């Protein structure tokens, strides 16, 4: 049974969303026009014209800029052949360019190239390196299928209108919320149906198993890239270096079960945060919903090797991507200072991890010593005032919807306290259990392996910080014994 809304109702929803989305601009424009005409203030009209010119200029300047690095058939024949095969199988016959980007991305968009309407397929290098050819084919099929389905003008307009309205929900002040939320909720089912329809097309190309695994792996890779990878790039940049083996190190890290499991947890937390939003802005269903909706037991239409594609220009592509991430793409080669993450000793690699949480914890509690800062944070857990601590650590929490804040606040506090406790225990002789993860430590006697997130998360949930206080006391005793 077709559950899509009738065309008239759908067009009315589109018109309503665009009206609400552009309402602030209309109000400002009318107010400036009235001020200019009634009060004879030319500056108001000049400001209005300036806003219009600035908007048009931004659109014109960014129109012909294609992101990423071009993939040429002579350079990467295997990748181009895979994309062409997938395009034929999903019925995509438009002009198509493939470009590689540095982050975990897979997306499609139209562009004018030499006056010809063309589609640009962006593929992130982490996906090219860490997905098998079948999984990559599934990702490509999903994106091409979106364009195939978007030939329906209503769906294209609906996606555009939702995007415009969703932007209004990102700001600190959301006065349009009461008008926007019913419209976004009413149109979210169509967006979710579009995603599951594209997933079904991907299954017909790559099979059920590869499509399901591509969905899982993409989230895991994204979480690791945004966590570990971002830390490595930023920390190296502070020392005027860049991690030349960023992608190889990321692969090596994700090969370890502890890192993979932590990335799964991070991806799940991000999904929970999105699901907690009351604004229904997310166009993608939850991962579990998407996997459950896949057609069952479909075999791939093409035989795949089960291994990632080998990029022939891998070295130059990786070098370009890493330098772009580090903001060094225009830096002369002689001025570059590369560092190899895989060659660093463990302690040096751990030092590259983000320590912002500990710095913020010290400032929020007024204690410079990590053990005192952690103790003060535990006091707020005991008396139930830790949400105030969370807002001091992350002021943006004040402006989040309450449902989102209830998910984000414990994560903010636990991250800060984990970094503080890790510093205290490491000083007391605890060692890191893993080369890539700082928060899992081994006791000095080697008998205990502890993931610091576990007792801290439990303390926030139960309001009982005593187990963590015991760890602090143990660390203090160990330091005294060492000093003696």
């Amino acid at each position: 049974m077709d559950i899509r809304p009738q065309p008239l109702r759908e067009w009315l929803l589109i018109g309503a969303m665009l009206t609400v989305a552009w309402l602030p601009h209309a109000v400002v424009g009318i107010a400036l026009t009235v001020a200019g005409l009634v009060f004879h203030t030319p500056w108001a009209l000049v400001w209005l014209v300036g806003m219009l010119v600035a908007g048009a200029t931004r659109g014109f300047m960014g129109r012909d800029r294609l992101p990423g690095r071009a993939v040429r058939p002579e350079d990467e024949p295997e990748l181009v052949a895979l994309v062409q095969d997938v395009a034929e199988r999903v019925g995509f016959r438009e002009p198509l360019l493939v470009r590689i980007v540095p982050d975990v991305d897979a997306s499609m968009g139209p562009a004018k190239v030499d006056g010809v309407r063309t589609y640009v397929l962006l593929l992130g290098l982490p996906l090219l390196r860490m997905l098998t050819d079948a999984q990559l084919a599934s990702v490509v099929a999903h994106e091409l299928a979106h364009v195939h389905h978007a030939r329906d003008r209503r769906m294209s307009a609906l996606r555009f209108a939702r995007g415009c309205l969703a932007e209004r929900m990102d700001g600190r002040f959301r006065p349009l919320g009461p008008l926007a939320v019913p419209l976004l909720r009413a149109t979210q089912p169509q967006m979710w149906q579009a995603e599951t329809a594209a997933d079904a097309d991907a299954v017909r190309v790559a099979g059920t198993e590869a499509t399901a695994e591509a969905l899982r792996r993409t989230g895991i890779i994204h979480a690791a890239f945004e966590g570990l990878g971002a830390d490595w790039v930023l920390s190296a940049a502070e020392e005027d270096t860049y991690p030349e083996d960023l992608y190889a190190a990321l692969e090596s890290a994700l090969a370890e079960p502890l890192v993979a499991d932590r990335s799964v947890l991070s991806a799940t937390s991000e999904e929970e945060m999105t699901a907690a939003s009351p604004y229904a802005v997310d166009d993608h269903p939850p991962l579990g919903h998407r996997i459950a909706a896949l057609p069952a037991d479909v075999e791939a239409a093409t035989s795949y090797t089960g291994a990632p594609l080998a990029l022939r220009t891998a070295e130059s592509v990786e070098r370009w991507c890493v330098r772009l991430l580090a903001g060094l793409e225009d830096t002369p080669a002689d001025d570059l200072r590369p560092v190899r993450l895989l060659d660093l000793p463990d302690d040096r690699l751990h030092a590259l991890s983000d320590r912002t949480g500990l710095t913020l914890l010290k400032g929020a509690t007024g204690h410079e010593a990590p053990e005192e800062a952690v103790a003060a944070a535990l006091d707020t857990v005991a008396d139930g005032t830790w949400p105030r601590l969370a807002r001091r650590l992350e002021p943006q929490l004040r402006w989040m919807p309450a449902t989102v804040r209830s998910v984000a606040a414990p994560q903010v506090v636990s991250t800060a306290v984990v970094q503080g406790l890790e510093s205290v225990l490491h000083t007391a002789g605890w060692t890191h259990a893993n080369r890539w993860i700082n928060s899992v430590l081994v006791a000095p006697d080697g008998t205990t392996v502890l993931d610091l997130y576990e007792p801290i998360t439990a303390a926030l949930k139960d309001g009982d910080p005593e187990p963590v206080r015991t760890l602090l006391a143990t660390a203090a005793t160990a330091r005294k014994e060492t000093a003696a």
Side-chain angles (χ1 to χ4, degrees):
M1 179 179 177
D2 186 5
I3 62 173
R4 284 172 57 86
Q6 295 299 314
L8 177 59
R9 179 175 182 271
E10 196 164 314
W11 281 114
L12 288 174
L13 286 169
I14 292 168
M17 285 191 292
L18 291 175
T19 299
V20 174
W22 292 336
L23 186 61
H25 296 297
V27 170
V28 172
I30 292 171
L32 290 175
T33 302
V34 170
L37 295 176
V38 174
F39 299 103
H40 305 290
T41 51
W43 61 266
L45 296 176
V46 171
W47 191 8
L48 176 60
V49 172
M51 290 172 59
L52 296 174
V53 171
T57 301
R58 282 195 301 270
F60 177 79
M61 294 296 289
R63 186 174 56 188
D64 295 326
R65 294 178 182 175
L66 297 180
R69 178 185 172 101
V71 174
R72 298 179 176 84
E74 61 271 21
D75 294 334
E76 300 293 350
E78 291 83 5
L79 176 56
V80 170
L82 182 144
V83 173
Q84 289 177 341
D85 178 67
V86 171
E88 291 175 4
R89 294 184 184 280
V90 300
F92 183 87
R93 296 179 178 84
E94 305 291 340
L96 179 64
L97 296 177
V98 182
R99 299 179 72 87
I100 296 176
V101 291
D103 53 359
V104 183
D105 186 19
S107 58
M108 281 274 289
K112 278 289 184 69
V113 179
D114 296 330
V116 177
R117 180 178 173 82
T118 304
Y119 284 93
V120 179
L121 172 63
L122 303 181
L123 295 174
L125 182 57
L127 299 181
L128 293 172
R129 291 182 60 114
M130 287 184 265
L131 295 182
T132 68
D133 52 359
Q135 294 162 8
L136 179 62
S138 171
V139 170
V140 172
H142 179 97
E143 297 304 326
L144 297 183
H146 266 316
V147 175
H148 184 71
H149 295 310
R151 287 171 181 158
D152 179 342
R153 287 186 298 172
R154 289 203 311 274
M155 179 56 69
S156 297
L158 184 65
R159 192 177 298 275
F160 173 75
R162 276 184 58 86
C164 292
L165 189 53
E167 287 183 5
R168 302 293 174 219
M169 301 297 102
D170 286 341
R172 177 178 297 182
F173 302 106
R174 295 174 288 270
L176 299 178
L179 297 175
V181 171
L183 297 171
L184 291 170
R185 286 179 178 168
T187 53
Q188 189 179 58
Q190 291 101 287
M191 296 295 99
W192 286 20
Q193 289 172 12
E195 291 300 323
T196 55
D199 287 340
D201 284 340
V203 166
R204 284 188 280 275
V205 172
T208 303
E209 182 179 352
T211 300
E213 191 60 22
L215 290 172
R216 295 189 190 96
R217 288 283 295 167
T218 299
I220 293 171
I221 295 168
H222 179 268
F225 184 85
E226 294 298 317
L228 292 174
D231 286 354
W232 294 336
V233 172
L234 291 174
S235 297
E238 291 175 356
E239 300 177 0
D240 297 323
T241 64
Y242 72 97
E244 64 176 351
D245 62 341
L246 170 68
Y247 297 99
L250 198 65
E251 283 185 63
S252 181
L254 276 172
E256 297 194 18
L258 180 59
V259 179
D261 291 345
R262 179 57 57 79
S263 298
V264 170
L265 290 175
S266 297
T268 301
S269 296
E270 184 174 344
E271 190 172 86
E272 289 175 352
M273 192 96 66
T274 302
S277 172
Y279 300 127
V281 297
D282 191 15
D283 290 343
H284 292 72
L287 175 62
H289 178 101
R290 294 179 67 179
I291 292 178
L294 295 177
D297 302 323
V298 177
E299 297 293 330
T302 302
S303 63
Y304 293 100
T305 66
L309 285 178
L311 296 179
R312 298 191 181 189
T313 59
E315 184 177 346
S316 61
V317 169
E318 181 173 349
R319 184 167 55 247
W320 180 85
C321 286
V322 173
R323 291 180 182 178
L324 184 64
L325 287 173
L328 301 172
E329 66 272 25
D330 296 325
T331 303
D334 292 341
D335 296 336
L336 295 173
R337 294 179 55 217
V339 61
R340 287 191 55 79
L341 298 170
L342 292 172
D343 294 340
L344 293 178
D346 289 2
D347 285 348
R348 180 72 184 87
L349 189 60
H350 284 297
L352 294 178
S353 296
D354 179 32
R355 303 284 177 163
T356 305
L358 176 55
T359 302
L360 294 174
L361 185 65
K362 292 177 181 179
T365 61
H367 296 285
E368 185 61 29
E371 58 270 24
E372 295 177 359
V374 172
L378 296 178
D379 289 341
T380 69
V381 174
D383 62 21
T385 61
W386 65 265
R388 285 201 295 243
L389 174 63
R391 291 191 292 272
R392 291 198 296 272
L393 291 168
E394 178 51 77
Q396 290 297 325
L397 287 171
R398 302 174 187 274
W399 314 112
M400 292 182 182
T403 52
V404 178
R405 188 166 58 247
S406 66
V407 177
Q411 296 178 8
V412 169
V413 174
S414 61
T415 297
V417 177
V418 161
Q419 291 183 14
L421 189 58
E422 182 266 334
S423 175
V424 173
L425 294 179
H426 189 57
T427 303
W430 290 61
T431 57
H432 294 103
N434 182 274
R435 172 174 168 79
W436 310 102
I437 301 291
N438 282 18
S439 61
V440 182
L441 300 179
V442 181
D445 60 6
T447 60
T448 302
V449 178
L450 179 63
D451 184 343
L452 299 182
Y453 276 98
E454 293 179 357
I456 293 171
T457 300
L460 289 169
K461 180 180 179 180
D462 302 334
D464 179 14
E466 289 308 314
V468 185
R469 283 175 170 163
T470 300
L471 282 173
L472 276 180
T474 301
T477 301
R479 285 200 306 274
K480 291 178 181 178
E481 291 176 351
T482 302

